[in-house]
Amino acid sequence: MQIEHIPRLITQPQVNLKILQYVTSAISYLVTHQHGTFNCVFVELLPSNPYNNFIEQLLWSAPLEQIPRFILTDSFIYSHEIHPNKPSLLVIHIGNRNIVGNLSLQLLRSLSVWDPSSRVLVLVEADDRNWRSVQIFMALLYKLKYHIVTTIRISHLRMLRYDALAYMVESWDHFVEPDKLFLDAMRNMKGKEIRYNVRFTGLRAINFQAGLIGPDIQWLRSTAKHLNATLRYLQSPCHSLEVIGDGCYEKFLLDNQVSIVLDHFKFKKLTPDHYRTLFCVETVSETIMVPNGRPLNIVELFLQPFTIGAWIILFVVLGVMEIVKQLLPKQFTNDPILLSICGIERYNLHVAGQWEKISYISLIIMFFLMTSAYEAKIIALMTERPSTQVISTFDDLIKSGIPVKIDLHLHMGFVNNNFIGKQVVNGSMDFDGVSAYYSQVSVIQLILTWPVNYDLALKRKRYVSLSETLRMIVSNYITELRSPLMSWLYWTQRVFFESGLTSKLQEITINELHKPVRSFWHQKGYEAFGDYDLIKFADFAPAWIALGVGLFACGCVFLWELLRKKQGRISTTWWI
């Protein structure tokens, strides 16, 4: 690790020991109260006499010898691989140097890379005449969005901070407690605006009748209230649906200093410069919305009461009995199909043979139970016609072979998907009742609440969501460059998620979306279908078909009997 070391000298300069001891104890306090590794970066900006000053004695004080530290000058070159991205403490020693126009380009680049949520301690020896240059340096730190900054004059005690509005409002001539030495300027934003935007509606943020609602909206409102800020929504003037690569939208975000965009995005590859990214603590799941089936047609309605196995057994039994009857006509005088199903006997069963009685009586009992069950089931199906089997798993989806519509402009990778790639077609959500649609779970939950997804005639949803997820990703939000709100947004988001408020707010959002739908159903929808529960003429279509088929079969049998009888008479006359 290449670090520029400042050698320790035997000769020690005269410094204010009280201030030195106070700074040492304050840093030791931070070390003992931080979880994980404490990384401290010391930057020396006094090149004229860098080895004989306050910072040298601070570095080699006994309480600080064991902490990890990086000792740098203003000529070093920053590297992600060597230097920490987020130092626990950044100590900058200016001394009595006039920094106006004298800061190196390397230092400015480093200050623009380090995390602005790091604590910054500026040590100066300036008197009242060049105190202005110290204020200019603090203005630079404010411009770079460092928000936990404290300046200490080490010759004669004086402390200086700035607030969220860049006002130098606090100055003390006395020591403060170590836990109050570094205060976050964003903790009290004094009405400063937190600006946000959202382009894609979902269950987490949606524009409703009374304005934007959703868990993310409530999260920002609570964050703004906690920080004493003003939450403001900015409407984008851009019409493109793209966010990344849209010059109009990027200009809108930069010109208006938008703090956060409440849309979920994902990185294809994470690089070291993405370390300052506000990730969503809740993963984003993606699934498929499938049709809720169609009503059974007449043929399916007739076959629905029995399974395929039951129908096979039924026809096998009848076929076997018919074959036996044809092979043994003297032992079986009655027709098995007409006797067991229709109750028509050609000859009295009481005078039939022993084997015919045993076979036909058991057959009559069996088909009496089956026909009674079939009649009860078919009447129930006519009253409320069910649907075909609903697709509930991805295996069912693949077996069905229905097309899966995806906007390939946004999800080009699904063309080569090994799972559903063969069924993927380019298209939008047009609710054609045949195709399936791919989207995020939160978006699908929102779509399922739309009135267009409800079939008033059948009183059910047209589309349903699969319980299985196709993939799960870790998403992130777009935030302002070097946003000073990053740590606060992450903390409040985690509090909402871990306390269960996020899921609760999702339920509240769904209920709010359901209110106008329920109002429509009760006021208009149910009135149009008030007599839906009554059986109509069309519902008796299976009965009319069965009656027609029966009459046609009876007519055919009757004509066949007449022709047979007439043929017998002709044959008798010819022999005579």
Side-chain angles (χ1 to χ4, degrees):
M1 183 178 295
Q2 300 177 357
I3 302 178
E4 302 179 23
H5 294 277
I6 299 178
R8 183 178 183 180
L9 300 182
I10 299 177
T11 305
Q12 301 294 337
Q14 296 296 325
V15 297
N16 192 322
L17 296 181
K18 289 184 178 181
I19 300 178
L20 176 63
Q21 185 179 5
Y22 173 73
V23 174
T24 303
S25 61
I27 297 177
S28 300
Y29 175 83
L30 296 178
V31 173
T32 56
H33 286 78
Q34 173 163 322
H35 301 286
T37 304
F38 186 89
N39 292 316
C40 189
V41 176
F42 293 87
V43 181
E44 174 60 82
L45 299 182
L46 197 61
S48 59
N49 189 16
Y51 306 138
N52 193 16
N53 51 30
F54 184 91
I55 193 70
E56 190 270 340
Q57 296 194 30
L58 179 63
L59 286 170
W60 298 108
S61 59
L64 305 183
E65 286 185 349
Q66 303 301 323
I67 67 172
R69 49 190 171 173
F70 296 80
I71 308 171
L72 312 170
T73 64
D74 60 351
S75 61
F76 83 102
I77 299 177
Y78 180 83
S79 173
H80 285 285
E81 291 76 14
I82 299 176
H83 304 98
N85 296 324
K86 184 180 179 180
S88 304
L89 177 63
L90 183 61
V91 181
I92 303 176
H93 181 231
I94 299 178
N96 55 6
R97 176 181 176 180
N98 184 12
I99 60 173
V100 180
N102 295 326
L103 292 178
S104 65
L105 183 60
Q106 290 84 354
L107 177 63
L108 294 176
R109 288 177 177 176
S110 302
L111 290 175
S112 63
V113 172
W114 279 319
D115 197 313
S117 62
S118 301
R119 303 180 187 90
V120 181
L121 178 61
V122 183
L123 303 177
V124 299
E125 296 178 6
D127 52 18
D128 295 336
R129 291 176 298 177
N130 57 359
W131 189 253
R132 177 61 180 168
S133 64
V134 176
Q135 294 178 337
I136 293 177
F137 183 73
M138 294 194 70
L140 172 65
L141 295 178
Y142 179 83
K143 190 70 174 178
L144 295 174
K145 301 178 182 178
Y146 288 95
H147 50 96
I148 311 178
V149 180
T150 300
T151 299
I152 299 180
R153 186 170 67 177
I154 56 179
S155 55
H156 301 284
L157 180 63
R158 186 179 180 185
M159 297 184 184
L160 184 65
R161 295 194 190 117
Y162 54 73
D163 61 4
L165 302 178
Y167 293 128
M168 308 294 177
V169 294
E170 299 186 27
S171 178
W172 313 277
D173 295 327
H174 61 279
F175 296 111
V176 297
E177 297 294 332
D179 59 338
K180 298 180 181 179
L181 178 61
F182 295 97
L183 297 180
D184 195 338
M186 296 294 107
R187 181 59 184 85
N188 183 8
M189 297 181 64
K190 299 183 178 180
K192 187 177 179 180
E193 291 183 346
I194 297 179
R195 302 175 179 179
Y196 73 99
N197 177 257
V198 56
R199 301 194 73 179
F200 303 100
T201 58
L203 195 60
R204 302 184 66 89
I206 178 174
N207 196 353
F208 200 50
Q209 297 174 349
L212 287 167
I213 62 173
D216 282 358
I217 303 300
Q218 189 59 41
W219 161 50
L220 285 187
R221 289 173 180 169
S222 300
T223 303
K225 183 178 180 181
H226 180 72
L227 301 179
N228 191 20
T230 302
L231 188 63
R232 180 185 176 189
Y233 172 74
L234 296 181
Q235 180 68 39
S236 171
C238 307
H239 301 289
S240 174
L241 295 179
E242 295 183 2
V243 177
I244 307 300
D246 184 1
C248 173
Y249 193 67
E250 292 177 357
K251 185 176 184 300
F252 161 74
L253 297 179
L254 293 175
D255 293 347
N256 295 277
Q257 297 182 353
V258 178
S259 302
I260 185 173
V261 178
L262 292 182
D263 293 315
H264 291 222
F265 304 93
K266 58 181 181 295
F267 288 112
K268 294 183 178 179
K269 181 181 179 181
L270 287 176
T271 57
D273 56 341
H274 289 151
Y275 74 96
R276 277 191 55 78
T277 301
L278 180 61
F279 289 98
C280 183
V281 297
E282 185 179 7
T283 56
V284 176
S285 301
E286 298 173 342
T287 186
I288 293 178
M289 184 173 59
V290 296
N292 199 12
R294 57 173 176 77
L296 296 176
N297 55 38
I298 299 299
V299 177
E300 293 171 337
L301 197 63
F302 275 111
L303 299 177
Q304 183 71 18
F306 293 154
T307 61
I308 297 178
W311 283 112
I312 293 175
I313 293 175
L314 175 64
F315 284 107
V316 167
V317 171
L318 292 177
V320 170
M321 291 301 300
E322 190 67 29
I323 293 173
V324 171
K325 192 261 181 187
Q326 296 296 329
L327 294 176
L328 303 172
K330 295 182 180 181
Q331 284 78 9
F332 296 92
T333 56
N334 287 287
D335 188 271
I337 297 179
L338 294 177
L339 181 60
S340 59
I341 298 178
C342 303
I344 300 175
E345 55 182 7
R346 192 182 292 268
Y347 302 100
N348 194 341
L349 191 60
H350 295 284
V351 297
Q354 181 180 2
W355 292 106
E356 185 175 359
K357 287 182 179 180
I358 295 175
S359 302
Y360 281 179
I361 289 176
S362 60
L363 198 64
I364 291 173
I365 296 174
M366 172 185 171
F367 277 94
F368 171 75
L369 298 176
M370 294 189 69
T371 53
S372 299
Y374 185 86
E375 291 172 358
K377 188 68 175 178
I378 199 70
I379 292 174
L381 295 177
M382 287 193 306
T383 305
E384 186 174 356
R385 186 175 299 183
S387 303
T388 56
Q389 184 179 3
V390 177
I391 299 174
S392 57
T393 63
F394 283 111
D395 291 337
D396 298 337
L397 177 65
I398 296 174
K399 293 177 182 178
S400 66
I402 64 174
V404 180
K405 290 188 176 181
I406 301 176
D407 189 354
L408 296 180
H409 181 68
L410 300 176
H411 306 282
M412 192 64 186
F414 275 95
V415 177
N416 301 322
N417 188 279
N418 296 328
F419 198 55
I420 60 171
K422 296 181 180 180
Q423 298 173 240
V424 170
V425 295
N426 187 26
S428 59
M429 293 189 179
D430 51 4
F431 292 93
D432 57 5
V434 178
S435 305
Y437 302 96
Y438 163 84
S439 186
Q440 296 180 4
V441 173
S442 60
V443 176
I444 289 179
Q445 290 176 347
L446 174 62
I447 294 174
L448 294 181
T449 63
W450 292 354
V452 70
N453 188 49
Y454 194 79
D455 191 339
L456 287 172
L458 299 178
K459 293 186 178 180
R460 64 174 187 177
K461 293 181 179 180
R462 301 179 188 272
Y463 276 82
V464 293
S465 175
L466 296 182
S467 58
E468 302 175 350
T469 57
L470 187 60
R471 66 175 181 176
M472 184 179 295
I473 59 176
V474 178
S475 61
N476 64 282
Y477 298 98
I478 293 181
T479 56
E480 181 184 6
L481 184 63
R482 295 181 59 81
S483 173
L485 299 172
M486 182 78 72
S487 57
W488 287 107
L489 290 173
Y490 178 75
W491 177 72
T492 53
Q493 180 192 194
R494 190 179 61 186
V495 169
F496 264 63
F497 178 75
E498 294 179 354
S499 62
L501 287 174
T502 301
S503 58
K504 182 62 177 178
L505 289 172
Q506 286 181 352
E507 296 177 3
I508 295 175
T509 304
I510 293 177
N511 291 333
E512 289 294 326
L513 296 174
H514 282 172
K515 284 182 179 179
V517 179
R518 287 195 296 265
S519 177
F520 170 77
W521 293 343
H522 290 293
Q523 294 179 4
K524 298 181 181 180
Y526 290 155
E527 294 178 0
F529 299 91
D531 57 346
Y532 177 77
D533 293 332
L534 300 178
I535 299 179
K536 301 179 182 179
F537 183 84
D539 296 328
F540 283 97
W544 306 133
I545 293 176
L547 179 61
V549 171
L551 292 175
F552 178 77
C554 292
C556 293
V557 172
F558 179 71
L559 291 176
W560 180 72
E561 290 289 344
L562 289 178
L563 292 175
R564 185 179 176 182
K565 186 176 181 181
K566 184 177 182 181
Q567 185 179 5
R569 289 179 180 177
I570 295 174
S571 299
T572 304
T573 305
W574 184 81
W575 282 108
I576 293 174

